[in-house]
Amino acid sequence: MSQYPKAAEGLKKVFISKIIAIIAAVLAVIPLIGFIGSILAIVGFVIYLMGLKKAGEDAETYNKAVTLVIVNIVITIVEVIVSFIPFVGSILVTLLGAVASVIDLMIVNTVITTTGGLLNNVGAVDIAENGLSIYKMYMICTIISIICSVLGLIPLINIIAGAVSFVVAIILIVAWIRYMIYLNKSASAL
């Protein structure tokens, strides 16, 4: 019997939402069926919020992540609107993207630290420690990515920043896969 059944169920939904997000991203770039990817992305997002909310029934801190996700939605909407402003739009989009990245990092931190506390309570210390290493990897990549996006606004330096961003993006994919495995193992352990 699970000591934290709501958290386990919620984390399983978060895991599923991440799989849906990957499928949605792939479908979104395929001509003629890209709209299916967009619909799937919305479905995945709803499942993501439902999972965090469900996990919040066992550990209140997950609800902080829900709030941060909603804040990120607002920032994304503002980002889209601001992108239409001539000249300064790209600068504002870059800055808002950096803020969104920091908030995304805070969401991952909240999920990993809250889950880690629950995992420690059930004796799954190894999974909790793995979560911390994933977070560190994610944090370093996010910081480098933000620096590169700001430097990307400067002519000539933007070429180097773009190359570094590409490498960081690949490392972030690895971190994301590790995060998904962490969510799945955590859901099973709780």
Side-chain angles (χ1 to χ4, degrees), residues 94-175:
T94 299
L95 295 175
L96 287 170
V99 171
S101 293
V102 169
I103 292 173
D104 188 47
L105 182 64
M106 292 168 60
I107 294 166
V108 171
N109 179 48
T110 301
V111 171
I112 286 177
T113 55
T114 304
T115 304
L118 298 178
L119 289 167
N120 285 330
N121 290 345
V122 298
V125 177
D126 56 329
I127 300 172
E129 288 174 358
N130 186 36
L132 290 175
S133 77
I134 293 167
Y135 174 70
K136 288 175 187 173
M137 182 179 188
Y138 200 89
M139 179 180 61
I140 291 167
C141 288
T142 300
I143 291 168
I144 294 170
S145 181
I146 290 170
I147 292 168
C148 286
S149 68
V150 172
L151 291 176
L153 296 171
I154 303 169
L156 296 179
I157 295 177
N158 62 352
I159 297 168
I160 297 168
V164 173
S165 290
F166 179 75
V167 173
V168 168
I170 292 170
I171 297 169
L172 270 173
I173 291 170
V174 172

Side-chain angles (χ1 to χ4, degrees), residues 7 29 38 40 47 64 72 82 84 86 92 96 99 109 128 131-132 137-138 149 153 155-156 162 181 184-185 190:
V29 297
S38 300
L40 209 53
I47 293 170
K64 176 183 170 189
N72 241 1
V82 167
F84 293 107
L92 292 174
L96 287 170
V99 171
N109 179 48
L132 290 175
M137 182 179 188
Y138 200 89
S149 68
L153 296 171
L156 296 179
I181 293 168
N184 192 36
K185 285 183 178 181
L190 296 176

Side-chain angles (χ1 to χ4, degrees), residues 5-108:
K6 307 269 191 218
E9 183 183 341
L11 290 175
K12 189 57 98 175
K13 285 182 181 177
V14 170
F15 171 74
I16 290 167
S17 77
K18 296 296 182 186
I19 291 174
I20 292 172
I22 291 170
I23 295 168
V26 170
L27 290 176
V29 297
I30 299 174
L32 302 176
I33 63 169
F35 71 95
I36 295 172
S38 300
I39 293 169
L40 209 53
I42 293 168
V43 169
F45 180 74
V46 170
I47 293 170
Y48 180 61
L49 281 177
M50 288 172 42
L52 289 174
K53 197 70 180 151
K54 178 58 94 176
E57 294 175 24
D58 271 347
E60 179 66 30
T61 316
Y62 286 113
N63 292 322
K64 176 183 170 189
V66 172
T67 304
L68 291 170
V69 169
I70 293 168
V71 168
N72 241 1
I73 291 171
V74 172
I75 290 172
T76 301
I77 292 169
V78 172
E79 225 177 316
V80 169
I81 294 168
V82 167
S83 70
F84 293 107
I85 299 173
F87 305 114
V88 296
S90 63
I91 295 169
L92 292 174
V93 166
T94 299
L95 295 175
L96 287 170
V99 171
S101 293
V102 169
I103 292 173
D104 188 47
L105 182 64
M106 292 168 60
I107 294 166
V108 171

